[in-house]
Amino acid sequence: MTGFNTRAIHAGQEPDPATGAVIPPLHLTTTYKQDGVGGLRGGYEYSRSANPTRDTLQTALASLEQGTRAMTFASGLAAEDTLLRTVCRPGDSVVLGGDAYGGTYRLISRVMAPWGVGHQPVDLNDLDAVRAAVAPETTRVVWCETPSNPLLNVADIAALAEIAHAAGTLLVVDNTFASPYLQQPLTLGADVVVHSTTKYLGGHSDVVGGALVVADDELGEQLAFLQNAAGAVNGPFDAWLVLRSLKTLGVRMERHSANGARIAEWLLEHPAVGDVLYPGLPQHRNHEVAASQMSGFGGMVSFRLRGTDRASAEEAALRVCERTELFTLAESLGGVESLVEHPHRMTHASAAGSPLEVPADLVRLSVGIEDVDDLIADLDQALT
Ligand SMILES: *Cc1c(COP(=O)(O)O)cnc(C)c1O
């Protein structure tokens, strides 16, 4: 197999046979001429079922995750919805990390629950607790997000795969934060990789999308069935944008990781800052697991503000979010530009009052690929 960057640029992306165009064409078409009834050219019939631009992206993504099949969707949550409805039936349940993305938790606890699918949040670092929570009869999925959003916890993918498989259930890994450049969960035993391609895979904050990647053909068939039958597909232009972004994923992730590490180390020394959550720091509670399953630590950094009490620490966190100038105050992450946000009131507001609630004094940074000295200067003035 060729290297990651070579596959990112070439997998599924032969020059166009009709014209020689080096970049795969954007196929903005809903339907395809048939040569006689049922005489399909290349299997294309209708663009919900298949579109050449989407197919190219799916082929490239499967290659980057070392899977055999990928399916792409209109959003990360559309991908998750398709996955959950494919594998869960009424009476089944999902064991998920106690710090899963708020939107994932909302989908499971408020959309799937009324259809009879249960859920048990657990601390994925406590393997005995995971083992105890997994019920061989009813647990269909162990859902792991690593590193997690926004607490940057890291779960041991290989250990979770062993527990899930011993009970006959699937291990799903949301690989959005790491991207396949830093971590390839299927090679560690995961059954399904989930992505919000809105984040690092898209990388330029200009396209919303999602993906599922598997290495099992039968599961791939079942997921592809619902991708078409429910139809939450991404459009060709959205697929094309992600495909273009994949080509620079490796160089972007190197720079995100270098900038993230510098900023995490700088924050550690700052008197206004309490805990710094970054898996690349030796003092991170899961640093060893992170170092063994990731080839770098990415650009997501969270930190807590000091205060004399809860309210003043929250005030301090809100102030930082409002004072930065280069770091734009906004939801989402993974783009080339740096963003800052307050998870408790923004991305994770839907988890308030639930077991997945996040601390109010937490600030989350999506560290971009700007010059790191400028980013540090911006944080410095915002923290002063
Ligand atoms: C954003 C995000 C999602 C949801 O993806 P959308 O594209 O916003 O639907 C899922 N998981 C993680 C970790 C995310 O950051």
Side-chain angles (χ1 to χ4, degrees), residues 178-256:
S179 90
Y181 183 70
L182 300 180
Q183 169 175 283
Q184 293 161 17
L186 297 176
T187 66
L188 298 164
D191 300 287
V192 185
V193 166
V194 171
H195 276 289
S196 168
T197 60
T198 313
K199 316 295 168 55
Y200 286 106
L201 295 179
H204 298 72
S205 306
D206 54 11
V207 57
V208 172
L212 301 173
V213 192
V214 295
D216 179 84
D217 291 339
E218 195 184 322
L219 181 58
E221 273 305 314
Q222 292 166 356
L223 294 169
F225 171 79
L226 199 58
Q227 181 195 31
N228 177 48
V233 293
N234 48 342
F237 185 51
D238 289 2
W240 188 90
L241 282 171
V242 177
L243 190 61
R244 186 182 64 163
S245 297
L246 286 186
K247 295 173 190 288
T248 55
L249 181 63
V251 290
R252 285 188 284 111
M253 292 315 293
E254 290 286 349
R255 178 65 164 254
H256 282 298

Side-chain angles (χ1 to χ4, degrees), residues 32-52:
Y32 306 84
K33 175 181 164 61
Q34 303 194 5
D35 298 312
V37 175
L40 307 182
R41 300 184 188 178
Y44 293 104
E45 186 174 27
Y46 182 61
S47 279
R48 170 164 36 71
S49 314
N51 172 280

Side-chain angles (χ1 to χ4, degrees), residues 7 9 27 43 45 61 88 101 125 140 145 202 211 235 248 259 265 268-269 295 302 312 316 335 352 383:
R7 284 180 283 131
I9 293 166
H27 289 276
E45 186 174 27
L61 274 179
C88 295
Y101 172 68
N125 285 134
R140 284 273 69 80
E145 190 182 306
T248 55
N259 284 0
E265 283 158 17
L268 267 185
E269 303 297 322
S295 61
S302 293
S312 72
L383 279 163

Side-chain angles (χ1 to χ4, degrees), residues 73-80 100-104 143 145-149 174-177 194-199 207-211 300 332-333 347-348 364:
F73 296 86
S75 70
L77 284 173
E80 295 184 13
Y101 172 68
T104 300
W143 191 286
E145 190 182 306
T146 183
S148 69
N149 180 6
D174 183 335
N175 202 26
T176 298
F177 267 36
V194 171
H195 276 289
S196 168
T197 60
T198 313
K199 316 295 168 55
V207 57
V208 172
M300 298 305 298
S332 199
L333 60 108
T347 48
H348 290 65
R364 188 189 78 180

Side-chain angles (χ1 to χ4, degrees), residues 109-133:
S109 65
R110 297 192 41 203
V111 180
M112 298 301 290
W115 295 93
V117 175
H119 62 281
Q120 292 86 36
V122 291
D123 175 359
L124 294 177
N125 285 134
D126 182 347
L127 296 178
D128 289 332
V130 178
R131 229 172 259 118

